[in-house]
Amino acid sequence: MSDRTGIFAGDDPFEIARRWLTEAEASEVNDPNAIALSTVDAGGMPNVRMVLLKEIEADAFVFYTNYDSRKGQEIEAAGKAAFVLHWKSLHRQIRVRGLVSREDGEKADAYYASRSLKSRLGAWASQQSQPLGSRTELMAEVAKTTAKLGPNPPRPPFWGGFRIRPTEIEFWADGAFRLHDRFRWERVDEKVSWKISRLNP
């Protein structure tokens, strides 16, 4: 008999993740959808940075970025990534590892269009992860971009989404005396079957 009761209950890990995120939205002070995204470079050296998770789909997690950035290039080369969602207010976290593909169609267009105008223009102006002489130089590029593209810039061809389809998801909750609760969901096959294991703290 499974002891996945309470906050761990459910047969769909994406639904559990959505439920936890909804709870965090009511208790986290800032950016409850912030994830620490991990990639590796060609030499196997890891990189990690904070990005915002924008959607939990039926079988994947989606975020958006500049494809030419360091993370974009590393994701394209490896086809894999990992992230952790951590909520201090809930004493919980979700760890995900999986395969990555682009979200480069209508959904990316719609999300880009939903951003503030300054953010849309900034996406065009910034050569993300590349060396920059000064902030003045960056703001001059923003001004030039604003004059060129106007109030309704299209989505840049180098900017869009990435979809992480997990091979593994782990749900973690703080326990007394560091005896935490951990459940790992491992994808068994392409029919979205899962093997669920309780892990030692």
Side-chain angles (χ1 to χ4, degrees):
M1 181 177 177
S2 172
D3 61 349
R4 285 189 306 105
T5 58
I7 63 173
F8 294 99
D11 298 321
D12 179 351
F14 300 97
E15 180 56 39
I16 297 171
R18 280 189 289 270
R19 190 172 72 230
W20 283 25
L21 179 56
T22 297
E23 290 181 51
E25 288 169 348
S27 60
E28 287 289 297
V29 175
N30 292 306
D31 298 328
N33 60 329
I35 60 176
L37 176 72
S38 178
T39 58
V40 294
D41 66 17
M45 181 67 74
N47 268 317
V48 65
R49 76 289 284 164
M50 303 303 295
V51 300
L52 296 179
L53 179 69
K54 286 301 179 179
E55 187 174 1
I56 302 176
E57 298 181 329
D59 65 348
F61 299 86
V62 180
F63 69 94
Y64 294 86
T65 191
N66 185 315
Y67 292 137
D68 293 336
S69 65
R70 177 173 286 189
K71 63 181 167 296
Q73 292 178 18
E74 290 178 354
I75 286 171
E76 295 279 17
K80 303 170 186 175
F83 72 79
V84 61
L85 268 164
H86 176 240
W87 299 295
K88 295 179 80 170
S89 62
L90 296 179
H91 304 283
R92 298 181 208 168
Q93 66 182 16
I94 301 174
R95 296 175 58 234
V96 173
R97 299 197 302 164
L99 306 179
V100 187
S101 60
R102 281 193 181 195
E103 170 46 67
D104 200 22
E106 292 181 4
K107 186 171 285 190
D109 290 338
Y111 173 65
Y112 179 79
S114 75
R115 305 176 86 208
S116 72
L117 176 58
K118 288 185 179 180
S119 292
R120 283 179 280 154
L121 291 166
W124 275 100
S126 172
Q127 297 180 35
Q128 196 173 99
S129 302
Q130 299 303 310
L132 177 66
S134 67
R135 184 163 186 86
T136 300
E137 184 181 311
L138 174 62
M139 298 316 293
E141 188 61 34
V142 171
K144 186 192 305 182
T145 301
T146 301
K148 179 181 178 182
L149 297 178
N152 191 28
R155 178 172 62 89
F158 52 81
W159 191 98
F162 280 117
R163 176 177 286 107
I164 301 178
R165 190 165 186 265
T167 55
E168 183 179 308
I169 305 175
E170 181 188 319
F171 296 92
W172 178 101
D174 186 40
F177 309 108
R178 306 198 68 77
L179 298 177
H180 314 304
D181 289 306
R182 298 173 62 189
F183 288 94
R184 181 175 62 204
W185 297 59
E186 296 174 277
R187 194 184 294 276
V188 176
D189 55 43
E190 288 303 307
K191 295 179 181 178
V192 198
S193 297
W194 296 93
K195 174 185 176 184
I196 307 171
S197 306
R198 177 183 268 278
L199 304 179
N200 273 281

